[in-house]
PDB file of all heavy atoms in Angstrom:
ATOM      1  N   ARG A 130      79.496  64.240 -29.338  1.00 88.00           N
ATOM      2  CA  ARG A 130      78.982  64.123 -27.973  1.00 88.00           C
ATOM      3  C   ARG A 130      78.502  65.475 -27.440  1.00 88.00           C
ATOM      4  O   ARG A 130      79.181  66.489 -27.593  1.00 88.00           O
ATOM      5  CB  ARG A 130      80.059  63.554 -27.054  1.00 88.00           C
ATOM      6  CG  ARG A 130      80.443  62.117 -27.412  1.00 88.00           C
ATOM      7  CD  ARG A 130      81.359  61.513 -26.371  1.00 88.00           C
ATOM      8  NE  ARG A 130      81.706  60.150 -26.710  1.00 88.00           N
ATOM      9  CZ  ARG A 130      80.958  59.080 -26.453  1.00 88.00           C
ATOM     10  NH1 ARG A 130      79.799  59.237 -25.838  1.00 88.00           N
ATOM     11  NH2 ARG A 130      81.358  57.880 -26.790  1.00 88.00           N
ATOM     12  N   GLU A 206      85.022  37.907 -21.149  1.00 88.00           N
ATOM     13  CA  GLU A 206      83.944  38.763 -20.665  1.00 88.00           C
ATOM     14  C   GLU A 206      84.155  40.192 -21.129  1.00 88.00           C
ATOM     15  O   GLU A 206      85.275  40.638 -21.373  1.00 88.00           O
ATOM     16  CB  GLU A 206      83.856  38.713 -19.140  1.00 88.00           C
ATOM     17  CG  GLU A 206      85.100  39.197 -18.428  1.00 88.00           C
ATOM     18  CD  GLU A 206      84.998  39.040 -16.931  1.00 88.00           C
ATOM     19  OE1 GLU A 206      84.397  38.059 -16.472  1.00 88.00           O
ATOM     20  OE2 GLU A 206      85.539  39.902 -16.214  1.00 88.00           O
ATOM     21  N   SER A 207      83.051  40.892 -21.286  1.00 88.00           N
ATOM     22  CA  SER A 207      83.076  42.281 -21.713  1.00 88.00           C
ATOM     23  C   SER A 207      82.137  43.072 -20.809  1.00 88.00           C
ATOM     24  O   SER A 207      81.188  42.524 -20.248  1.00 88.00           O
ATOM     25  CB  SER A 207      82.642  42.409 -23.179  1.00 88.00           C
ATOM     26  OG  SER A 207      82.611  43.759 -23.592  1.00 88.00           O
ATOM     27  N   LEU A 208      82.398  44.370 -20.669  1.00 87.00           N
ATOM     28  CA  LEU A 208      81.569  45.222 -19.829  1.00 87.00           C
ATOM     29  C   LEU A 208      80.975  46.327 -20.688  1.00 87.00           C
ATOM     30  O   LEU A 208      81.692  47.151 -21.243  1.00 87.00           O
ATOM     31  CB  LEU A 208      82.398  45.820 -18.692  1.00 87.00           C
ATOM     32  CG  LEU A 208      81.616  46.399 -17.509  1.00 87.00           C
ATOM     33  CD1 LEU A 208      80.922  45.274 -16.747  1.00 87.00           C
ATOM     34  CD2 LEU A 208      82.528  47.165 -16.573  1.00 87.00           C
ATOM     35  N   MET A 209      79.652  46.313 -20.826  1.00 88.00           N
ATOM     36  CA  MET A 209      78.952  47.343 -21.591  1.00 88.00           C
ATOM     37  C   MET A 209      78.627  48.514 -20.671  1.00 88.00           C
ATOM     38  O   MET A 209      77.986  48.339 -19.633  1.00 88.00           O
ATOM     39  CB  MET A 209      77.667  46.774 -22.199  1.00 88.00           C
ATOM     40  CG  MET A 209      76.891  47.768 -23.042  1.00 88.00           C
ATOM     41  SD  MET A 209      75.489  47.008 -23.894  1.00 88.00           S
ATOM     42  CE  MET A 209      74.472  46.535 -22.479  1.00 88.00           C
ATOM     43  N   LEU A 210      79.098  49.691 -21.032  1.00 86.00           N
ATOM     44  CA  LEU A 210      78.934  50.865 -20.187  1.00 86.00           C
ATOM     45  C   LEU A 210      77.462  51.100 -19.854  1.00 86.00           C
ATOM     46  O   LEU A 210      76.609  51.163 -20.737  1.00 86.00           O
ATOM     47  CB  LEU A 210      79.505  52.104 -20.888  1.00 86.00           C
ATOM     48  CG  LEU A 210      79.298  53.448 -20.171  1.00 86.00           C
ATOM     49  CD1 LEU A 210      80.019  53.446 -18.827  1.00 86.00           C
ATOM     50  CD2 LEU A 210      79.795  54.602 -21.031  1.00 86.00           C
ATOM     51  N   LYS A 212      75.398  53.353 -16.522  1.00 80.00           N
ATOM     52  CA  LYS A 212      75.482  54.021 -15.223  1.00 80.00           C
ATOM     53  C   LYS A 212      74.117  54.223 -14.575  1.00 80.00           C
ATOM     54  O   LYS A 212      74.008  54.908 -13.567  1.00 80.00           O
ATOM     55  CB  LYS A 212      76.190  55.374 -15.380  1.00 80.00           C
ATOM     56  CG  LYS A 212      77.653  55.252 -15.788  1.00 80.00           C
ATOM     57  CD  LYS A 212      78.333  56.605 -15.825  1.00 80.00           C
ATOM     58  CE  LYS A 212      79.808  56.465 -16.184  1.00 80.00           C
ATOM     59  NZ  LYS A 212      80.487  57.782 -16.247  1.00 80.00           N
ATOM     60  N   TYR A 220      80.712  46.261 -11.167  1.00 84.00           N
ATOM     61  CA  TYR A 220      81.859  47.161 -11.038  1.00 84.00           C
ATOM     62  C   TYR A 220      83.127  46.338 -11.199  1.00 84.00           C
ATOM     63  O   TYR A 220      83.435  45.478 -10.375  1.00 84.00           O
ATOM     64  CB  TYR A 220      81.867  47.864  -9.684  1.00 84.00           C
ATOM     65  CG  TYR A 220      83.143  48.647  -9.421  1.00 84.00           C
ATOM     66  CD1 TYR A 220      83.446  49.789 -10.154  1.00 84.00           C
ATOM     67  CD2 TYR A 220      84.045  48.225  -8.453  1.00 84.00           C
ATOM     68  CE1 TYR A 220      84.617  50.501  -9.926  1.00 84.00           C
ATOM     69  CE2 TYR A 220      85.217  48.928  -8.205  1.00 84.00           C
ATOM     70  CZ  TYR A 220      85.490  50.068  -8.948  1.00 84.00           C
ATOM     71  OH  TYR A 220      86.653  50.774  -8.730  1.00 84.00           O
ATOM     72  N   ILE A 221      83.836  46.567 -12.294  1.00 80.00           N
ATOM     73  CA  ILE A 221      85.084  45.847 -12.565  1.00 80.00           C
ATOM     74  C   ILE A 221      86.180  46.894 -12.787  1.00 80.00           C
ATOM     75  O   ILE A 221      86.265  47.498 -13.861  1.00 80.00           O
ATOM     76  CB  ILE A 221      84.947  44.924 -13.790  1.00 80.00           C
ATOM     77  CG1 ILE A 221      83.760  43.962 -13.604  1.00 80.00           C
ATOM     78  CG2 ILE A 221      86.238  44.147 -14.027  1.00 80.00           C
ATOM     79  CD1 ILE A 221      83.525  43.026 -14.771  1.00 80.00           C
ATOM     80  N   PRO A 222      87.021  47.162 -11.799  1.00 84.00           N
ATOM     81  CA  PRO A 222      87.999  48.251 -11.911  1.00 84.00           C
ATOM     82  C   PRO A 222      89.022  48.061 -13.013  1.00 84.00           C
ATOM     83  O   PRO A 222      89.605  49.032 -13.488  1.00 84.00           O
ATOM     84  CB  PRO A 222      88.674  48.257 -10.521  1.00 84.00           C
ATOM     85  CG  PRO A 222      88.373  46.926  -9.922  1.00 84.00           C
ATOM     86  CD  PRO A 222      87.067  46.491 -10.488  1.00 84.00           C
ATOM     87  N   SER A 223      89.247  46.818 -13.448  1.00 79.00           N
ATOM     88  CA  SER A 223      90.242  46.580 -14.487  1.00 79.00           C
ATOM     89  C   SER A 223      89.737  46.942 -15.884  1.00 79.00           C
ATOM     90  O   SER A 223      90.528  47.057 -16.818  1.00 79.00           O
ATOM     91  CB  SER A 223      90.679  45.111 -14.488  1.00 79.00           C
ATOM     92  OG  SER A 223      89.563  44.257 -14.747  1.00 79.00           O
ATOM     93  N   LYS A 224      88.409  47.108 -16.025  1.00 76.00           N
ATOM     94  CA  LYS A 224      87.839  47.452 -17.319  1.00 76.00           C
ATOM     95  C   LYS A 224      87.874  48.964 -17.532  1.00 76.00           C
ATOM     96  O   LYS A 224      87.909  49.745 -16.589  1.00 76.00           O
ATOM     97  CB  LYS A 224      86.399  46.944 -17.428  1.00 76.00           C
ATOM     98  CG  LYS A 224      86.255  45.434 -17.329  1.00 76.00           C
ATOM     99  CD  LYS A 224      86.901  44.720 -18.504  1.00 76.00           C
ATOM    100  CE  LYS A 224      86.657  43.227 -18.440  1.00 76.00           C
ATOM    101  NZ  LYS A 224      87.291  42.508 -19.561  1.00 76.00           N
ATOM    102  N   ARG A 225      87.808  49.360 -18.796  1.00 78.00           N
ATOM    103  CA  ARG A 225      87.894  50.772 -19.137  1.00 78.00           C
ATOM    104  C   ARG A 225      86.729  51.567 -18.557  1.00 78.00           C
ATOM    105  O   ARG A 225      86.899  52.651 -18.021  1.00 78.00           O
ATOM    106  CB  ARG A 225      87.931  50.928 -20.661  1.00 78.00           C
ATOM    107  CG  ARG A 225      87.994  52.378 -21.124  1.00 78.00           C
ATOM    108  CD  ARG A 225      87.993  52.471 -22.638  1.00 78.00           C
ATOM    109  NE  ARG A 225      87.988  53.847 -23.088  1.00 78.00           N
ATOM    110  CZ  ARG A 225      87.900  54.226 -24.356  1.00 78.00           C
ATOM    111  NH1 ARG A 225      87.816  53.296 -25.294  1.00 78.00           N
ATOM    112  NH2 ARG A 225      87.900  55.492 -24.686  1.00 78.00           N
ATOM    113  N   HIS A 226      85.494  51.035 -18.680  1.00 78.00           N
ATOM    114  CA  HIS A 226      84.323  51.770 -18.217  1.00 78.00           C
ATOM    115  C   HIS A 226      84.040  51.542 -16.737  1.00 78.00           C
ATOM    116  O   HIS A 226      83.366  52.355 -16.109  1.00 78.00           O
ATOM    117  CB  HIS A 226      83.101  51.372 -19.042  1.00 78.00           C
ATOM    118  CG  HIS A 226      83.210  51.717 -20.495  1.00 78.00           C
ATOM    119  ND1 HIS A 226      83.513  52.989 -20.927  1.00 78.00           N
ATOM    120  CD2 HIS A 226      83.056  50.967 -21.622  1.00 78.00           C
ATOM    121  CE1 HIS A 226      83.530  53.010 -22.248  1.00 78.00           C
ATOM    122  NE2 HIS A 226      83.264  51.797 -22.689  1.00 78.00           N
ATOM    123  N   ARG A 227      84.501  50.446 -16.189  1.00 83.00           N
ATOM    124  CA  ARG A 227      84.370  50.065 -14.778  1.00 83.00           C
ATOM    125  C   ARG A 227      82.940  49.714 -14.364  1.00 83.00           C
ATOM    126  O   ARG A 227      82.715  48.688 -13.758  1.00 83.00           O
ATOM    127  CB  ARG A 227      84.942  51.150 -13.859  1.00 83.00           C
ATOM    128  CG  ARG A 227      86.442  51.345 -14.020  1.00 83.00           C
ATOM    129  CD  ARG A 227      86.969  52.286 -12.972  1.00 83.00           C
ATOM    130  NE  ARG A 227      86.407  53.625 -13.146  1.00 83.00           N
ATOM    131  CZ  ARG A 227      86.516  54.590 -12.247  1.00 83.00           C
ATOM    132  NH1 ARG A 227      87.153  54.367 -11.112  1.00 83.00           N
ATOM    133  NH2 ARG A 227      85.988  55.774 -12.481  1.00 83.00           N
ATOM    134  N   PHE A 228      81.964  50.569 -14.681  1.00 87.00           N
ATOM    135  CA  PHE A 228      80.573  50.281 -14.334  1.00 87.00           C
ATOM    136  C   PHE A 228      79.807  49.858 -15.587  1.00 87.00           C
ATOM    137  O   PHE A 228      79.921  50.508 -16.627  1.00 87.00           O
ATOM    138  CB  PHE A 228      79.889  51.513 -13.731  1.00 87.00           C
ATOM    139  CG  PHE A 228      80.398  51.876 -12.364  1.00 87.00           C
ATOM    140  CD1 PHE A 228      81.391  52.834 -12.213  1.00 87.00           C
ATOM    141  CD2 PHE A 228      79.899  51.256 -11.237  1.00 87.00           C
ATOM    142  CE1 PHE A 228      81.861  53.178 -10.965  1.00 87.00           C
ATOM    143  CE2 PHE A 228      80.365  51.593  -9.969  1.00 87.00           C
ATOM    144  CZ  PHE A 228      81.349  52.557  -9.833  1.00 87.00           C
ATOM    145  N   GLY A 229      79.024  48.807 -15.470  1.00 90.00           N
ATOM    146  CA  GLY A 229      78.229  48.415 -16.630  1.00 90.00           C
ATOM    147  C   GLY A 229      77.614  47.040 -16.486  1.00 90.00           C
ATOM    148  O   GLY A 229      77.559  46.465 -15.396  1.00 90.00           O
TER     149      GLY A 229
END
Side-chain angles (χ1 to χ4, degrees):
R130 295 188 179 277
E206 61 184 35
S207 178
L208 197 68
M209 181 173 65
L210 175 63
K212 294 184 178 179
Y220 171 68
I221 305 179
S223 61
K224 298 294 184 181
R225 179 181 177 185
H226 297 307
R227 295 187 295 168
F228 290 95

